Structures are given as structure tokens and as C-alpha cells.
Amino acid sequence: RAMSKFIEVIAIVEGKTEQVFIEMVLAPYLAMKNIFVSATQITKPGQKGGDVRFVRAKQDIGNHLKQRGDTFVTTFIDYYGTKEWPGLDTLAPAQTPAQISEHLHQATKQAVNELFGGHRSEERFIPYVAMHEFEALLFSDSEVLSTEMNIGLDVVEAVLTECGEPEYINNGPETAPSKRLDKWAPYGKFAKTTTGIAIAQRISIQKMREMCPLFNGWLEQLETKLEEQNEA
């Protein structure tokens, strides 16, 4: 059959910004590869974002796994915003972001498989726990970020020099990616869903992949799922 296969992915995200990022920036990029992704926010009964708990996320993960047998389900949440999640309490001290992410992904997969193994979660669920809120990805292109924020290139470069790469930006109350952007923003508040998304579009997913290995690793897993479909 000549028809190229495709996959559909449902991303369970933390908040509005992540949803808009996936729908407006990531989805068009992945659609060109025949990966169709849509985003849905974690059901939060009357609560604000930034308080992500597995006890809530697992309901959504389970519902989407049960709804249709042919979709893939992923998460896009941030490690620093989670309050309760598989693997959080067994993390060894002084781990690198890559080690933290690997540990949390293994623990999340195990927890989801114990709950929903009967729905082929082993092959259909792809956990992604980013180190930081979406804003870290905006540090993938210092030139675009400095132009859009109207600050010196050296100011952005200094952050990357200090931290190494976007996913390694540290997370003190003053130094988290969003807090740094707030400092540079007019009126001290960075508009994530407007300015943030516009900057992300200018930077491009490709550039983010080059600069952010953990983000890239997540997308590679989705691409692998598509390849497996094509081979099937």
C-alpha cells in the first residue's frame, strides 16, 4: 500500500500556555511528519496551574487510553511544577536534568502500566516530564530572544554561559526561566501565551530540538512510534 501511515497523539498538559504551544507551534511541525498531536489540560477541579499531581493526571491518562485503542498518549508537564508524581520521592540527590528525566520517565511508565497495562499502555503511553515550564525552550535561540525582548544579546548569553544549556537553567525563585523573562519584560510580567508563543514560532521546533536534548528525545520517541506503524 502506497498510503503513508500516520499516528494520533493526545498530549496531557499542565496549563493553557503548554496547550497553545502544542496546538500552534508543535502540531504544525509534527503534522508535516504525519504525527497529529492535540493537547488537553489536566483536569483540575477548581484549581490553578502549577500544582500537578499524578493522582489527577492518571485519570486523564486512563481515560484517553481507554477511549480509542489506536491513539498514543503523552504528558507534557514540568518537573519543578509537580507536587506528587511517580519517582519524585526516590530521586537521588545531585542528579543532572537528564538523570532526573530518565528516572521520572521510568517510574511514570511503571505506574501507568500497573494501572492500564490492559490498554496496551506499554506501547501507547510516552511520558514526558520536562525539566522546566515551557519558557525554557525560548532560550534555544539567544538572538531571537534578545531581539524580541529588546535586551542585549549578552544578557541572554550570560544565562546560557552560567547554566550550560536551556534545559539546565536552574530553578531558584529568582532564576527559573519564567522569572528571568519576567525581569526582562516590560511591566515585569512576561506574557507567555502571546509573546511567548510568538517567540517560540520564530525560534522553530527544529532549533529547540538542536538545543534541548530532552525535548528532542521526546519527539524522537513519537517519530519512532510512527516508524513502527509504517513497518507494521
Side-chain angles (χ1 to χ4, degrees):
R1 246 178 17 166
M3 209 181 100
S4 164
K5 295 191 179 163
F6 65 90
I7 60 169
E8 287 180 65
V9 182
I10 293 155
I12 295 163
V13 304
E14 204 165 321
K16 184 74 185 148
T17 316
E18 290 77 12
Q19 186 174 0
V20 176
F21 169 68
I22 285 181
E23 288 171 353
M24 292 184 66
V25 190
L26 187 58
Y29 168 86
L30 288 175
M32 297 197 301
K33 299 172 175 281
N34 274 355
I35 298 168
F36 298 98
V37 62
S38 57
T40 169
Q41 286 180 54
I42 292 177
T43 314
K44 298 194 192 88
Q47 286 196 305
K48 276 167 34 102
D51 174 25
V52 177
R53 294 171 193 273
F54 186 66
V55 69
R56 281 206 289 273
K58 71 180 182 193
Q59 302 275 161
D60 293 357
I61 293 167
N63 289 343
H64 288 295
L65 286 169
K66 288 169 189 168
Q67 235 161 42
R68 277 175 46 194
D70 59 350
T71 52
F72 292 88
V73 179
T74 189
T75 53
F76 181 41
I77 60 161
D78 106 68
Y79 159 66
Y80 288 108
T82 50
K83 298 285 186 292
E84 171 264 335
W85 199 264
L88 272 186
D89 47 359
T90 52
L91 266 176
Q95 300 262 294
T96 65
Q99 290 167 322
I100 294 170
S101 135
E102 177 63 23
H103 177 83
L104 296 179
H105 290 167
Q106 290 303 334
T108 309
K109 271 187 102 64
Q110 194 180 337
V112 168
N113 290 338
E114 279 166 19
L115 290 163
F116 311 113
H119 295 278
R120 297 192 5 261
S121 61
E122 181 62 59
E123 54 193 274
R124 293 176 51 214
F125 175 68
I126 301 116
Y128 176 50
V129 179
M131 274 306 99
H132 289 290
E133 62 235 316
F134 144 83
E135 289 90 324
L137 295 170
L138 304 180
F139 285 82
S140 298
D141 192 323
S142 327
E143 286 188 20
V144 170
L145 189 55
S146 66
T147 307
E148 294 286 329
M149 298 297 289
N150 207 9
I151 51 168
L153 182 59
D154 55 328
V155 180
V156 182
E157 298 276 329
V159 173
L160 292 166
T161 305
E162 171 200 335
C163 303
E165 52 186 80
E167 290 170 322
Y168 280 62
I169 295 176
N170 47 9
N171 205 55
E174 292 302 303
T175 50
S178 61
K179 296 293 184 289
R180 294 177 189 264
L181 292 169
D182 281 345
K183 269 192 216 129
W184 299 336
Y187 318 114
K189 192 78 189 115
F190 180 69
K192 303 193 223 200
T193 40
T194 49
T195 314
I197 298 299
I199 295 173
Q201 283 170 325
R202 271 204 65 186
I203 290 172
S204 85
I205 297 293
Q206 193 50 50
K207 178 75 174 174
M208 291 174 183
R209 293 187 74 162
E210 287 162 24
M211 302 300 289
C212 302
L214 303 176
F215 177 69
N216 180 53
W218 174 46
L219 299 184
E220 278 179 348
Q221 286 187 71
L222 300 181
E223 289 164 345
T224 302
K225 296 292 179 191
L226 176 67
E227 280 160 28
E228 287 166 1
Q229 293 279 77
N230 282 329
E231 283 158 17

